[in-house]
Amino acid sequence: EAQVTQNPRYLITVTGKKLTVTCSQNMNHEYMSWYRQDPGLGLRQIYYSMNVEVTDKGDVPEGYKVSRKEKRNFPLILESPSPNQTSLYFCASTIRGTLSGANVLTFGAGSRLTVL
Amino acid sequence: GDSVTQMEGPVTLSEEAFLTINCTYTATGYPSLFWYVQYPGEGLQLLLKATKADDKGSNKGFEATYRKETTSFHLEKGSVQVSDSAVYFCALSDSGYSTLTFGKGTMLLVSP
């Protein structure tokens, strides 16, 4: 089944403890992206990648890192999590490196992160 | 920069009522426009899209028309069902097609 898989789905951690949220897609998609969803703010883009070894900042990149060493994986790294990073995170991908009307995002099921 | 403005929710309707969720946008160039839907506990999925002015996107009884003159992309459905209860997001892809800008989302609650 074609899908975007995120892990973990739920995580409670403490301030300063490094964590990684993994994202993997099995559709050979070029474009991958991370969003965070917060009440009253909708979805905001953290980072995106238009292809392997190509990443760029979205609207809210502070406190996050990403890497794209291989096409299928796009992990989100929180080096030193803080409580304001408590959120619902979504990974998404699409076939081409651009988001034209023909290229629609496929989303993962989400990862709910709580930082105490 | 680009932006999307949606009506705030929740929108509460009875089954078989008519639905409109307003969406307006600000963008340079000629963006593509989308409606995504998020059912409880799930990720977002595409509901419909339109890539140029006057295009009408439609799916599952939902429709939206790309109105360049009013910079709008309102979502409509003639008769909602309980199963339509979800959060609806309007979004646009910028002229460089590198990012999607989302509205804040509108929760729809449909009661029997």
Side-chain angles (χ1 to χ4, degrees), chain A residues 14-26:
Chain A
V14 296
T15 299
K17 186 176 181 182
K18 180 180 179 180
L19 68 92
T20 299
V21 185
T22 63
C23 174
S24 180
Q25 49 90 7
N26 61 0

Side-chain angles (χ1 to χ4, degrees), chain A residues 11-19 80-83 113-116:
Chain A
L11 179 63
I12 300 173
T13 189
V14 296
T15 299
K17 186 176 181 182
K18 180 180 179 180
L19 68 92
S80 183
S82 62
L113 171 64
T114 302
V115 183
L116 303 176

Side-chain angles (χ1 to χ4, degrees), chain A:
Chain A
E1 180 187 353
Q3 59 186 354
V4 177
T5 303
Q6 298 179 223
N7 280 296
R9 292 289 313 280
Y10 302 91
L11 179 63
I12 300 173
T13 189
V14 296
T15 299
K17 186 176 181 182
K18 180 180 179 180
L19 68 92
T20 299
V21 185
T22 63
C23 174
S24 180
Q25 49 90 7
N26 61 0
M27 298 167 282
N28 202 36
H29 283 177
E30 290 183 355
Y31 181 101
M32 298 185 75
S33 181
W34 277 102
Y35 292 85
R36 60 179 288 175
Q37 182 180 14
D38 301 290
L41 297 176
L43 273 84
R44 294 177 293 169
Q45 190 175 48
I46 304 170
Y47 271 95
Y48 65 96
S49 168
M50 297 175 82
N51 215 325
V52 175
E53 301 291 0
V54 178
T55 63
D56 210 344
K57 296 178 180 178
D59 298 318
V60 288
E62 296 77 20
Y64 304 95
K65 285 176 57 178
V66 293
S67 67
R68 187 91 182 274
K69 293 185 172 60
E70 39 187 355
K71 202 170 190 179
R72 63 183 295 126
N73 295 324
F74 190 47
L76 180 69
I77 303 159
L78 286 72
E79 293 272 3
S80 183
S82 62
N84 65 11
Q85 292 178 298
T86 293
S87 187
L88 179 58
Y89 291 87
F90 288 100
C91 181
S93 70
T94 191
I95 184 79
R96 294 282 180 259
T98 61
L99 286 175
S100 69
N103 301 332
V104 176
L105 282 174
T106 300
F107 280 81
S111 296
R112 185 168 292 282
L113 171 64
T114 302
V115 183
L116 303 176

Side-chain angles (χ1 to χ4, degrees), chain A residues 9 31 35 37 40-43 45 48 50 88 90 97-110, chain B residues 32 34 36 38 41-46 49-51 87 89 93-94 96-105:
Chain A
R9 292 289 313 280
Y31 181 101
Y35 292 85
Q37 182 180 14
L41 297 176
L43 273 84
Q45 190 175 48
Y48 65 96
M50 297 175 82
L88 179 58
F90 288 100
T98 61
L99 286 175
S100 69
N103 301 332
V104 176
L105 282 174
T106 300
F107 280 81
Chain B
S32 294
F34 306 83
Y36 279 82
Q38 183 182 29
E42 298 183 11
L44 282 74
Q45 56 186 274
L46 178 72
K49 64 180 182 181
T51 58
V87 181
F89 292 91
S93 65
D94 64 7
Y97 304 128
S98 62
T99 63
L100 258 187
T101 300
F102 284 89
K104 293 183 179 180

Side-chain angles (χ1 to χ4, degrees), chain B residues 19-30:
Chain B
L19 168 71
T20 299
I21 300 178
N22 291 335
C23 171
T24 57
Y25 67 90
T26 303
T28 55
Y30 301 95

